[in-house]
Amino acid sequence: MPTDTTSPGAVPGSRALAHPAREEIRLADVLHALADPMRLRIVCTLAAAEGELNCADIELPVSKSTCTHHFRVLREHGVIQQFYRGTAKMNRLRTADLEELFPGLIDDVLRAADLQSRRLGER
Amino acid sequence: MPTDTTSPGAVPGSRALAHPAREEIRLADVLHALADPMRLRIVCTLAAAEGELNCADIELPVSKSTCTHHFRVLREHGVIQQFYRGTAKMNRLRTADLEELFPGLIDDVLRAADLQSRRLGER
DNA sequence: GCCGTAGTACGGCGGTTATCGTACGAGCAC
DNA sequence: GTGCTCGTACGATAACCGCCGTACTACGGC
C-alpha cells in the first residue's frame, strides 16, 4: 500500500506515519471510522478547531492507549492526517481529500452530530 | 423501547416488526449500519428503486441468512422500514425520518457511493 | 547525563460481527 | 390437504473491536 509519509508541517527528523493516499480512501472505511461516538467527538473537535490539534488537547474519557487506538483508526481510514512535532503528535482533518472524494459528506456528518447533541440536550 | 409496529402498507394479519421511533435513531448507529459494503449496496439499490422492494429483489453475493441479518441491522438502526406482504418482506428507505434528523446526509452518502463506484470502474 | 512528558507497542479480556448451514414457519397456489 | 417460495431462528465459527494496564521509546529541558 503506497503511503504518504512526508506530511507538510512534519519535522524532518520525525518518524513517518503511514497514511492512505487519496485514491485509496474508501467510503465504507470512512463511515466505519466515523461510526463510533468517541471518534465522532474527535472529528467534531478537530473541525471546530479549524486547524491542527495536539492529541492531548482533545479530552476523551478513555485511557491513553485507547486514545491512540482511535486516532490510528481515523488516520488509517483516511479521515485525519497525523505528524509529529517534537514529542507532540498533531492531528488535522483531511478536509480537502474528503471533500473531493465525497462532496458534502463530512460537513453533513458534522452538522448532523451537532444537531443530535442539541436534540439530546447533551450541551 | 417504544416500537412502531403499524407500518403503512403492512397487511393487517402480518407479524409486526420492531422499528426504532424517529427520535431514537442515533447518528453513530446509522453510520455503522452504512459502514458495510453489503448494506451500502442494499441502501443504494433501495434508493434507486424509489419505492419498496422485496428482499429477494436485491441480489447479494451472500447466503440467505446473512442477507436477513443485514436487513435486520438496517431496520434496527433506523435506516429502512420493513413490513410483510404475503410471504414477501418489503423494504423501504426511511427517507423522511433520516432527512429530518440528519439533513442531506443520506443523499450525500448515496452520491458518494455512486461517485466511488464510477471511480473504481465497478460499473 | 537525567528526568519528565507525550505517545506507542504489546498482550489480554469480554463483547460483537459477518458469515455459514440446517431446520423451521408463514403464506400462496393448486 | 400438498408442495413451493420466501424468509426466520438457531447454533457455530472465526474475526474484529473497544477497552485496559504495563512496559517501552522519543523528544525536550535542565
Side-chain angles (χ1 to χ4, degrees):
Chain A
M1 51 182 82
T3 54
D4 163 26
T5 54
T6 56
S7 308
V11 174
S14 294
R15 292 148 288 174
L17 288 167
H19 292 76
R22 176 191 290 185
E23 60 273 16
E24 289 174 328
I25 301 176
R26 293 288 166 270
L27 175 58
D29 287 343
V30 170
L31 292 175
H32 174 239
L34 296 175
D36 178 280
M38 220 57 77
R39 292 196 290 261
L40 208 45
R41 204 152 132 178
I42 295 175
V43 171
C44 288
T45 311
L46 233 36
E50 284 194 28
E52 49 208 43
L53 237 50
N54 193 323
C55 269
D57 286 346
I58 304 175
E59 287 177 29
L60 294 177
V62 290
S63 76
K64 242 184 346 169
S65 35
T66 305
C67 208
T68 300
H69 161 70
H70 285 307
F71 277 105
R72 184 173 45 207
V73 171
L74 287 171
R75 170 171 49 84
E76 289 180 346
H77 290 171
V79 180
I80 66 172
Q81 191 206 0
Q82 297 190 290
F83 53 92
Y84 287 100
R85 187 139 66 205
T87 81
K89 192 182 208 170
M90 308 305 292
N91 304 276
R92 190 191 297 156
L93 267 185
R94 294 182 65 171
T95 324
D97 288 331
L98 293 172
E99 189 58 26
E100 158 120 8
L101 289 171
F102 318 121
L105 183 68
I106 295 299
D107 282 351
D108 279 349
V109 170
L110 291 170
R111 203 149 46 91
D114 188 53
L115 267 175
Q116 175 169 286
S117 66
R118 282 175 208 281
R119 204 160 16 91
L120 297 180
E122 278 172 358
R123 47 160 292 151
Chain B
M1 51 183 85
T3 54
D4 164 26
T5 53
T6 56
S7 308
V11 173
S14 294
R15 291 149 290 171
L17 287 166
H19 293 74
R22 176 191 290 187
E23 60 273 15
E24 289 175 328
I25 300 176
R26 293 288 166 271
L27 176 59
D29 287 345
V30 171
L31 292 176
H32 176 238
L34 297 175
D36 178 283
M38 221 59 77
R39 293 197 287 263
L40 206 47
R41 204 151 133 180
I42 295 176
V43 171
C44 288
T45 310
L46 233 36
E50 283 193 32
E52 49 208 41
L53 236 53
N54 193 322
C55 270
D57 287 344
I58 303 174
E59 286 177 30
L60 294 177
V62 289
S63 77
K64 250 193 327 178
S65 34
T66 305
C67 207
T68 300
H69 161 70
H70 285 306
F71 277 104
R72 183 173 47 210
V73 171
L74 286 171
R75 170 170 49 83
E76 290 180 345
H77 290 171
V79 180
I80 65 171
Q81 190 206 2
Q82 297 190 289
F83 52 92
Y84 288 99
R85 185 137 70 206
T87 79
K89 191 181 208 170
M90 308 305 292
N91 303 276
R92 190 191 296 158
L93 268 185
R94 293 182 65 173
T95 325
D97 288 331
L98 294 173
E99 188 57 27
E100 158 119 9
L101 289 171
F102 318 121
L105 183 69
I106 295 299
D107 282 351
D108 279 349
V109 170
L110 291 170
R111 204 149 46 91
D114 189 53
L115 267 175
Q116 175 169 287
S117 66
R118 281 175 210 280
R119 204 160 18 88
L120 298 180
E122 278 173 358
R123 46 161 294 156

